[in-house]
Amino acid sequence: MAPALCAICKVSRALIIRPKNHQKLCKACFIAVFEAEIHHTITSTSLFSPGDRIAIGASGGKDSTVLASVLKTLNERYNYGLDLVLLSIDEGIKGYRDDSLETVKRNAVQYDMPLKIVGYAELYGWTMDQVVETIGKKGNCTYCGVFRRQALDRGAKMLGIKHVVTGHNADDVAETILMNLLRGDLPRLARSTSIVTGDETSEVRRSKPLKYAYEKEIVLYAHHKKLDYFSTECIYSPEAFRGSARSLIKNLERVRPSAILDVVRSGEDMARLVPEEVTGVSHCKSQKTSLSSADGEDQGAGGCGTNGRNSGGEMAEMEKKLQQDEEAAGREIDISALSNNANGQRHDRIETKPEPRKAAKKDVGRKLVRQTLGTCRRCGYMSSQEICKACMLLEGLNKNRPNMQIEVDGEEESSSLRKGMGEMALAAG
Amino acid sequence: MASETIPITVEFTGGLEMLFADQRKHSLSVPAKDERGQAVTVGWLVHYLCVEVMKDPRKEMFVLDGHVRPGILVLINDADWELEGEASYALQARDNILFVSTLHGG
Ligand SMILES: [Zn+2]
Ligand SMILES: [Zn+2]
């Protein structure tokens, strides 16, 4: 077969075939196009302003490494005027996080960016190794996800930074959209499609500059730019590799590569049809704050993996829920059912009391205001509940801590916990 | 007679190396012809790797339903294998075949 030539420069040999449009490109043109598209995403959504300090949620994995590399390149090329910082979470998993943190440390040197590492031990008084020792492997992803969500925001606050960018890509977004579609969870589906959660009034905003980038192209970009990234599976979630919504996405991609972006676009279109008071996401950038960043349910909190990727366990849980929903069949899915979900909490529709429509709508408005202003009574972190999810989980953990351990190192750990929380309370105030 | 071989390099990255004894780069000598006397292809190589090289029992993490698992990219001398005829590409001496997983944590 004669080698195909690049569709753009028509000189070099094509090495890449783009999933979204089958365009055949050479290495140099692919890198240029990939960067130009991220630049377009950033400018068309007015994601940043000159002088912004941005924390890049960095795991050492492919997505966040590509994000850091591209943001550095674009910041210099187009004079965004951004101050970029790497922010990493140390979950305290021996033999897993240690290696990837080494990668992040090398990235900090390679990209000439400051690096801040915040640890679960320091923030919560528990490493994931200790959590698993106490509760076992089952369900540990829930803890990890809830802790990670807060940890990124807390780390950003320690740095005095109000905007965290994460490496979520088009495949991740499509996966989340499909899972929420299968759950019948339109509010969360709507939230997961927006490129930014939170607004000027939030303490910490979150955004996904790689939202339209195919995972395949991210990996190819990392390969052709010879980026230094680390790939492994969390030792506590070996199941995350298979049986997930991810497989569905990858199978769809094989049959029809444009399917991934098509799902993302469909999700965005559906989001526009969901009433604002249901999602908590403003369509017109008004004063209302997206609640998702406080509750952390739309992406990340439920899953494992460095990106908060939905795991196989999550999928199994989803199937269980779907089954429960079927058992509760006959109930009309109307706005009142959705309203119970408006706070972004994991809900169980079986316990949902059907409410009259009018009452439900009023209720939603009231709830939203209260949640927007809420902070956790214990740690001061923003929360729609009196006690935030992380503190609830910690309470359970601390009760279960073996007596021996409390005597031996309980004091030290609880003081580090208090210290961590005190700092946060200060930052929050 | 059937002993003619060709030297190739096979690489696993993106987490796939875990399935191959944590070894990223494998220098292999493969038969030039398969059992039917046909030139060996990448498709043949995938089967060969699965049977002869991979010690990890989790074969489905590399091959599913007789195909390379969706989400694993295959690059032939740095080009997407879709540009080279995919599994039907006939191996040449000194080819570099790279398998990259996109499925691992990012
Ligand atoms: Zn070109
Ligand atoms: Zn709390």
Side-chain angles (χ1 to χ4, degrees):
Chain A
M1 222 163 29
L5 288 181
C6 171
I8 292 179
C9 67
K10 308 203 163 48
V11 174
S12 305
R13 181 183 163 216
L15 293 181
I16 288 102
I17 178 161
R18 302 200 72 193
K20 66 193 263 184
N21 56 13
H22 302 280
Q23 200 177 31
K24 296 169 184 174
L25 298 181
C26 73
K27 181 169 142 181
C29 291
F30 164 71
I31 288 172
V33 162
F34 183 87
E35 289 167 353
E37 288 184 359
I38 310 296
H39 174 60
H40 177 256
T41 302
I42 289 168
T43 51
S44 63
T45 56
S46 308
L47 210 50
F48 307 125
S49 308
D52 278 358
R53 296 186 67 214
I54 307 292
I56 302 168
S59 66
K62 59 185 181 345
D63 300 301
S64 57
T65 302
V66 166
L67 179 61
S69 171
V70 170
L71 282 185
K72 180 187 171 60
T73 302
L74 296 179
N75 192 33
E76 288 168 3
R77 183 178 300 158
Y78 298 104
N79 296 311
Y80 288 170
L82 302 179
D83 186 4
L84 300 168
V85 177
L86 297 172
L87 174 58
S88 288
I89 308 299
D90 183 359
E91 295 93 343
I93 304 175
K94 280 222 162 47
Y96 162 64
R97 191 41 102 204
D98 304 345
D99 294 340
S100 54
L101 282 177
E102 286 311 309
T103 309
V104 180
K105 285 175 191 166
R106 287 197 304 274
N107 291 158
V109 175
Q110 290 153 0
Y111 303 143
D112 190 25
M113 291 179 195
L115 165 64
K116 167 84 179 167
I117 300 174
V118 287
Y120 285 3
E122 147 197 22
L123 289 178
Y124 307 110
W126 286 81
T127 65
M128 277 311 291
D129 284 338
Q130 291 168 329
V131 170
V132 169
E133 214 173 278
T134 305
I135 65 155
K137 285 193 183 187
K138 210 177 162 207
N140 80 84
C141 287
T142 307
Y143 288 77
C144 200
V146 169
F147 289 170
R148 181 183 303 110
R149 180 84 195 181
Q150 274 203 9
L152 269 183
D153 287 1
R154 289 180 169 198
K157 282 167 74 180
M158 288 175 191
L159 293 165
I161 289 179
K162 298 182 73 172
H163 190 158
V164 176
V165 291
T166 58
H168 290 99
N169 58 44
D171 295 54
D172 296 327
V173 175
E175 177 188 307
T176 309
I177 289 168
L178 279 184
M179 299 223 357
N180 286 322
L181 185 69
L182 295 175
R183 281 189 187 116
D185 194 338
L186 273 176
R188 204 178 293 165
L189 184 153
R191 281 196 302 274
S192 68
T193 61
S194 62
I195 190 159
V196 184
T197 53
D199 61 18
E200 302 78 25
T201 64
S202 322
E203 286 179 288
V204 180
R205 289 206 289 163
R206 293 258 186 153
S207 67
K208 311 182 265 248
L210 302 183
K211 180 190 167 189
Y212 298 111
Y214 275 76
E215 187 158 61
K216 176 176 176 179
E217 294 200 350
I218 287 172
V219 170
L220 289 175
Y221 184 87
H223 171 73
H224 289 297
K225 289 265 289 187
K226 300 196 168 32
L227 300 185
D228 181 11
Y229 72 95
F230 183 80
S231 36
T232 187
E233 210 52 39
C234 173
I235 53 171
Y236 293 136
S237 68
E239 292 301 300
F241 191 78
R242 53 200 178 93
S244 67
R246 186 135 293 248
S247 303
L248 178 56
I249 292 284
K250 293 298 179 191
N251 281 315
L252 280 173
E253 182 184 23
R254 185 156 73 179
V255 183
R256 205 168 82 101
S258 67
I260 290 175
L261 273 187
D262 292 342
V263 170
V264 174
R265 305 278 181 205
S266 301
E268 290 173 343
D269 288 345
M270 281 188 273
R272 275 191 277 278
L273 299 174
V274 181
E276 197 181 304
E277 57 267 33
V278 173
T279 60
V281 174
S282 165
H283 294 311
C284 55
K285 255 193 163 244
S286 69
Q287 69 288 356
K288 227 171 254 160
T289 303
S290 163
L291 298 174
S292 51
S293 59
D295 284 312
E297 280 284 352
D298 59 333
Q299 288 228 24
C304 206
T306 46
N307 242 351
R309 177 155 294 162
N310 294 308
S311 67
E314 173 104 339
M315 195 68 181
E317 191 195 330
M318 182 182 90
E319 273 164 26
K320 206 172 101 199
K321 269 192 201 298
L322 286 172
Q323 207 175 357
Q324 287 171 346
D325 287 356
E326 251 167 57
E327 285 161 20
R331 176 151 357 108
E332 190 190 342
I333 300 174
D334 61 10
I335 195 84
S336 71
L338 294 174
S339 75
N340 287 283
N341 204 14
N343 60 5
Q345 291 296 314
R346 190 161 300 243
H347 72 296
D348 190 336
R349 218 172 265 149
I350 286 175
E351 288 168 3
T352 299
K353 290 191 188 76
E355 293 170 78
R357 265 163 209 263
K358 283 173 207 154
K361 186 144 186 168
K362 202 172 148 199
D363 192 39
V364 168
R366 187 174 52 75
K367 264 193 201 161
L368 277 170
V369 172
R370 198 185 68 221
Q371 288 154 10
T372 306
L373 299 174
T375 50
C376 170
R377 227 175 45 196
R378 290 206 187 140
C379 67
Y381 180 79
M382 55 183 163
S383 168
S384 59
Q385 312 290 312
E386 259 188 43
I387 309 291
C388 79
K389 262 189 250 170
C391 287
M392 297 280 272
L393 292 176
L394 281 173
E395 185 178 292
L397 282 173
N398 289 330
K399 270 187 201 146
N400 285 323
R401 195 190 279 274
N403 288 334
M404 273 300 287
Q405 241 179 314
I406 289 175
E407 281 166 32
V408 174
D409 52 9
E411 197 177 321
E412 189 194 317
E413 278 176 4
S414 63
S415 72
S416 78
L417 173 64
R418 266 198 304 277
K419 187 168 152 268
M421 300 214 161
E423 276 171 21
M424 291 328 297
L426 276 178
Chain B
M1 173 83 213
S3 63
E4 196 199 339
T5 62
I6 48 177
I8 57 166
T9 304
V10 176
E11 286 185 81
F12 302 97
T13 64
L16 271 183
E17 57 272 40
M18 281 189 295
L19 300 177
F20 294 87
D22 277 322
Q23 193 184 328
R24 178 189 166 130
K25 204 169 208 169
H26 299 249
S27 297
L28 301 177
S29 237
V30 298
K33 298 267 168 17
D34 66 13
E35 54 281 3
R36 288 196 217 119
Q38 308 284 315
V40 293
T41 61
V42 170
W44 176 91
L45 176 68
V46 168
H47 179 74
Y48 175 85
L49 290 171
C50 215
V51 174
E52 304 290 335
V53 182
M54 188 175 174
K55 299 284 183 283
D56 197 293
R58 295 168 293 174
K59 307 284 183 193
E60 76 284 355
M61 290 168 92
F62 182 51
V63 173
L64 258 187
D65 306 326
H67 299 280
V68 174
R69 188 190 170 98
I72 294 175
L73 310 181
V74 187
L75 302 189
I76 299 170
N77 302 321
D78 243 12
D80 193 317
W81 75 335
E82 287 178 46
L83 292 163
E84 303 284 343
E86 297 189 45
S88 66
Y89 172 87
L91 292 174
Q92 315 286 321
R94 288 173 299 284
D95 272 348
N96 180 294
I97 314 293
L98 170 64
F99 297 90
V100 196
S101 174
T102 68
L103 299 165
H104 286 78

